Amino acid sequence: MSKRTLAIMAAIGATTIYGLNHTIAKGVMPMYVKPYGFILLRVTGAAILFWGISFFGPKEVIERKDWGRVLVCSILGMAINMLAFFKGLELSTPINSAVLITISPIIVVVLSALFIKEKITLQKASGVLLGFIGALVLVLFGAEARIDAPNIPLGNALFIVNAASYGAYLILVKKLIEKYHPFTLMKWMFTLGILINLPVAFSEFSEIVWQDLPNEIIFAILFVIIGTTFFTYLFNIFALTQLKASSLSAFIYLQPLLGIIFALATGKDSLSMVKILAALLVLFGVYLASKRPKPAP
């Protein structure tokens, strides 16, 4: 089996884990672990794992001038991004999160135009507009009466905050990735993530009644820490050794399909015409925003 085939399998594996995560993480909250307490569990577990694996990487020291960017990236990628997503998942539904997560590429296009002056073509602008309309439809009209989704509009809005902070993180971390090994960056970013999240999340973390956690909930927590946080990053790093970043990012389009199928199969969510329409608008918008224009003859 060629390395390229293995890289494609790794990318599909990472996307599959992300797709399952929408439903699995939802099953834990808020009955057993509240969202902010879950984040403290996630960043602490990931920090331990990345420190452990960092001994197999190069011995690097982050330069003093780069610590500011490392801190901002940690705030965006290990705090705001995660806090908004998990709180949104508590308030909304797995299908909504699976659909709205795909607007990240659109956010990247907009932020790239604002911060690094990347040109936005008519095609990209159309994609951004369609994706925004789809997200707005889901936020404003996707509400439905559900005990486990107490505030769907707010939850959907938080998914957009999650996508925006993650998009900004991707832009800012790019220079660091070019300079430092991923293991070096991840161990320090997740360590900072613990300190940043601690004041917000410790109260909910301290409320966890460990002895009352069923085995399936413990499995779900481990899945989020080891699978969603640790292995997905390793899979994506390996995939990048054989695939272009643009090719790897295209796999995010599988998330709504996988997330919706898993949510429906486990009976954790249901489809509606509003969700279908919003999903089609978002996905087509992402396609237009991410598609490379044809070269001029």
Side-chain angles (χ1 to χ4, degrees), residues 42-249:
R42 183 179 180 183
V43 295
T44 303
I48 293 170
L49 291 171
F50 280 118
W51 270 96
I53 201 172
S54 69
F55 293 105
F56 298 98
K59 310 304 178 187
E60 295 177 318
V61 176
I62 295 177
E63 295 180 19
R64 182 178 297 181
K65 65 180 181 180
D66 293 325
W67 275 107
R69 183 179 288 262
V70 170
L71 177 61
V72 173
C73 287
S74 186
I75 291 171
L76 291 170
M78 286 71 186
I80 297 175
N81 163 49
M82 292 186 180
L83 292 171
F85 177 76
F86 271 64
K87 187 65 177 179
L89 197 56
E90 179 196 22
L91 299 175
S92 189
T93 70
I95 287 181
N96 288 349
S97 67
V99 170
L100 288 173
I101 197 68
T102 60
I103 70 171
S104 286
I106 293 178
I107 299 292
V108 171
V109 169
V110 174
L111 293 177
S112 295
L114 291 175
F115 294 113
I116 60 177
K117 308 303 179 184
E118 186 175 298
K119 184 179 179 182
I120 294 185
T121 62
L122 179 61
Q123 174 183 290
K124 284 189 176 182
S126 301
V128 169
L129 180 61
L130 282 176
F132 175 75
I133 292 173
L136 200 61
V137 166
L138 206 52
V139 169
L140 297 179
F141 305 109
E144 52 202 40
R146 286 181 53 156
I147 296 175
D148 64 341
N151 195 335
I152 289 178
L154 178 57
N156 291 348
L158 286 172
F159 291 143
I160 296 176
V161 173
N162 156 59
S165 61
Y166 186 69
Y169 161 79
L170 288 178
I171 292 172
L172 291 174
V173 82
K174 185 176 180 181
K175 286 187 178 180
L176 293 173
I177 289 177
E178 293 170 355
K179 189 173 181 179
Y180 300 104
H181 192 278
F183 294 169
T184 304
L185 289 175
M186 288 300 103
K187 72 179 183 181
W188 284 115
M189 285 185 185
F190 275 100
T191 300
L192 288 172
I194 296 173
L195 300 176
I196 296 165
N197 285 295
L198 195 60
V200 178
F202 182 76
S203 176
E204 291 189 359
F205 177 80
S206 64
E207 294 175 11
I208 301 173
V209 184
W210 297 99
Q211 64 270 24
D212 290 347
L213 296 180
N215 289 335
E216 63 269 20
I217 297 302
I218 294 174
F219 170 79
I221 292 171
L222 291 175
F223 176 87
V224 171
I225 295 171
I226 300 172
T228 308
T229 312
F230 183 69
F231 276 119
T232 52
Y233 187 82
L234 292 182
F235 287 164
N236 282 332
I237 287 296
F238 174 72
L240 279 173
T241 64
Q242 303 296 322
L243 303 173
K244 293 180 179 179
S246 57
S247 300
L248 182 61
S249 65

Side-chain angles (χ1 to χ4, degrees), residues 257-295:
L257 177 62
L258 295 170
I260 288 170
I261 290 173
F262 188 67
L264 294 176
T266 55
K268 301 297 184 181
D269 206 345
S270 59
L271 277 176
S272 66
M273 284 306 298
V274 170
K275 289 179 181 177
I276 293 171
L277 174 62
L280 291 174
L281 285 172
V282 168
L283 289 176
F284 189 56
V286 171
Y287 169 75
L288 289 178
S290 304
K291 183 182 177 184
R292 288 185 176 181
K294 292 180 179 180

